[in-house]
Amino acid sequence: MAKPLLEFTDRGIYCPQGRFYIDPWKPVDDAVITHAHADHAYFGHKNYLAHHLSREVMLYRLGDINLRTIEYGETVTKHGVDISMYPAGHVIGSAQIRVEYKGQVWVVSGDYKTEDDGISTPFEPVKCHHFISECTFGMPVYTWKPQSQIFADVNNWWRGNLQNGVATIIVGYSLGKAQRILQNLDLGNGKVYTHGVIENTNEALRRNGVILNPTERITFESSKEEMRKGIILAPPSSVGTPWMRKFAPYSFGYCSGWMAIRGAKRRRAADRGFVMSDHADWNGLVSAIDATDCECVYLTHGYTASFTRYLNEIGFNAKEVHTLYGGEEEDASPEPTADEREKIKADEAPAETEDVAEVISFAEEKTEDAE
């Protein structure tokens, strides 16, 4: 039996033959990066390989690193191992890493979503023998509505705030969610004003050739009255800070997949919760894994125990592995109260879902930015 091409180590996913790691969380000589989120792209590696559209964001976040970038479908060979990248659909520049040696093919998905968000290159299934997948939202309770419906709600909420004379603040993490929101706002309502962290990311993406809708950075000189006529795009780190309070009176909306759970909006202190994730929902995970025709699937972060059991029950060969992924900027999972734990099954789950009671375990399995 052939030796596995990839191994799970205390530094990350390792390819012994190619002598490189994929998304390592400790310093290594040779790192292949799926995307620029902080739980996948760490500082301190000697060499980095990533997708071209991750270049400027990685340089902005990590500083002066030795970075090589390639396009989707392009192949780099390291010690006889072919490495190529395919769209993950997670955020701009996100990639699945395909690794092949002597006919053995592994794919590391990183983070991914299967819905086309209109700004990230859409997810593309890749045939392989072994597939390494996240399962951040690997419970049936997590089923996303079409993006068009979500943004219809967002834009209607914004219009209502304009009519009521209150500022509109919408929160999403700075890489991925912020640009997705920006590209789907109805700019007929007004201008988009951005927190500096988000604008820095926007500027990096624009340097990379990404075309984004116009934005205006918020500074000390920005007029509160003018900003009240538009919408303010802010990162999760701004919630509850003096920076946000200075826009009062305002209505505050939070964009996260965790908003699917009753009470999450209240715990975020938000006026509106929009169920929007840059990770695949339950159906997306199952369909993506099935499309690979893989012999074995490894689940790295999220509801790994319950999702592994489910996949094995329906005929997959699934294994649970432990990594340090899943700590992106925003979505460590919100903890439910005791009362909410009792209500989740009845209020949130489809009737046919037998295992949905396990959704309460998300307090113990903190996973996402994390979307």
Side-chain angles (χ1 to χ4, degrees), residues 31-95:
V32 181
I33 307 299
T34 60
H35 64 286
H37 278 148
D39 61 326
H40 292 259
Y42 285 81
F43 177 77
H45 308 313
K46 186 175 180 180
N47 300 293
Y48 293 77
L49 177 68
H51 185 265
H52 169 67
L53 290 178
S54 291
R55 177 178 177 79
E56 293 300 326
V57 173
M58 287 183 63
L59 293 175
Y60 158 60
R61 290 184 162 200
L62 301 179
D64 186 15
I65 58 174
N66 186 20
L67 173 62
R68 176 183 178 183
T69 61
I70 60 175
E71 299 290 353
Y72 294 126
E74 185 177 348
T75 299
V76 171
T77 302
K78 294 180 181 290
H79 305 284
V81 178
D82 289 339
I83 305 167
S84 52
M85 298 188 178
Y86 294 85
H90 177 53
V91 299
I92 295 170
S94 61

Side-chain angles (χ1 to χ4, degrees), residues 71-333:
E71 299 290 353
Y72 294 126
E74 185 177 348
T75 299
V76 171
T77 302
K78 294 180 181 290
H79 305 284
V81 178
D82 289 339
I83 305 167
S84 52
M85 298 188 178
Y86 294 85
H90 177 53
V91 299
I92 295 170
S94 61
Q96 301 174 81
I97 310 301
R98 182 186 184 277
V99 181
E100 181 176 2
Y101 180 69
K102 292 186 176 180
Q104 186 180 165
V105 179
W106 290 62
V107 171
V108 181
S109 65
D111 292 328
Y112 63 93
K113 68 173 179 290
T114 54
E115 182 183 24
D116 183 356
D117 63 11
I119 186 166
S120 309
T121 306
F123 176 84
E124 181 180 325
V126 183
K127 304 292 184 183
C128 59
H129 301 106
H130 299 267
F131 185 57
I132 300 175
S133 174
E134 61 146 310
C135 58
T136 299
F137 290 106
M139 288 292 289
V141 67
Y142 298 112
T143 304
W144 312 144
K145 294 180 180 179
Q147 176 170 285
S148 58
Q149 293 184 27
I150 297 169
F151 281 107
D153 290 342
V154 169
N155 287 309
N156 286 334
W157 164 69
W158 180 12
R159 279 188 286 272
N161 293 335
L162 291 171
Q163 293 168 3
N164 293 328
V166 299
T168 302
I169 303 176
I170 189 164
V171 169
Y173 60 82
S174 61
L175 173 60
K177 194 76 63 67
Q179 293 75 40
R180 185 179 180 185
I181 294 168
L182 172 60
Q183 296 305 97
N184 286 279
L185 290 172
D186 181 356
L187 300 189
N189 289 340
K191 295 175 63 174
V192 180
Y193 297 89
T194 50
H195 184 285
V197 170
I198 289 176
E199 192 58 24
N200 289 344
T201 304
N202 288 347
E203 289 177 353
L205 290 168
R206 288 174 177 133
R207 288 196 298 273
N208 229 138
V210 177
I211 298 174
L212 299 174
N213 284 334
T215 53
E216 183 172 318
R217 181 190 294 268
I218 297 172
T219 68
F220 288 115
E221 291 75 31
S222 298
S223 166
K224 294 181 183 178
E225 290 305 313
E226 288 301 312
M227 286 187 287
R228 199 176 304 280
K229 299 175 184 177
I231 190 170
I232 297 163
L233 188 50
S237 60
S238 69
V239 175
T241 65
W243 183 90
M244 180 175 282
R245 290 194 292 270
K246 71 183 179 181
F247 301 112
Y250 60 78
S251 181
F252 152 43
Y254 205 111
C255 299
S256 171
W258 300 115
M259 292 297 123
I261 296 299
R262 192 179 305 278
K265 177 171 69 71
R266 176 177 55 76
R267 286 191 296 276
R268 303 291 196 186
D271 300 305
R272 289 291 303 270
F274 298 102
V275 183
M276 184 192 310
S277 178
D278 282 339
H279 293 253
D281 66 359
W282 170 266
N283 293 324
L285 288 167
V286 175
S287 65
I289 292 167
D290 185 57
T292 67
D293 289 338
C294 63
E295 298 171 1
C296 188
V297 57
Y298 306 83
L299 302 170
T300 60
H301 59 286
Y303 294 106
T304 53
S306 57
F307 194 53
T308 298
R309 184 170 63 252
Y310 170 77
L311 290 178
N312 285 326
E313 288 173 351
I314 64 172
F316 288 95
N317 180 14
K319 299 178 181 181
E320 180 183 5
V321 295
H322 297 284
T323 67
L324 294 184
Y325 306 135
E328 295 165 22
E329 301 153 25
E330 159 203 351
D331 292 303
S333 54

Side-chain angles (χ1 to χ4, degrees), residues 344-360:
I344 283 174
K345 184 174 182 180
D347 292 345
E348 302 297 335
E352 68 273 18
T353 303
E354 295 179 357
D355 289 335
V356 76
E358 293 183 32
V359 77
I360 63 174

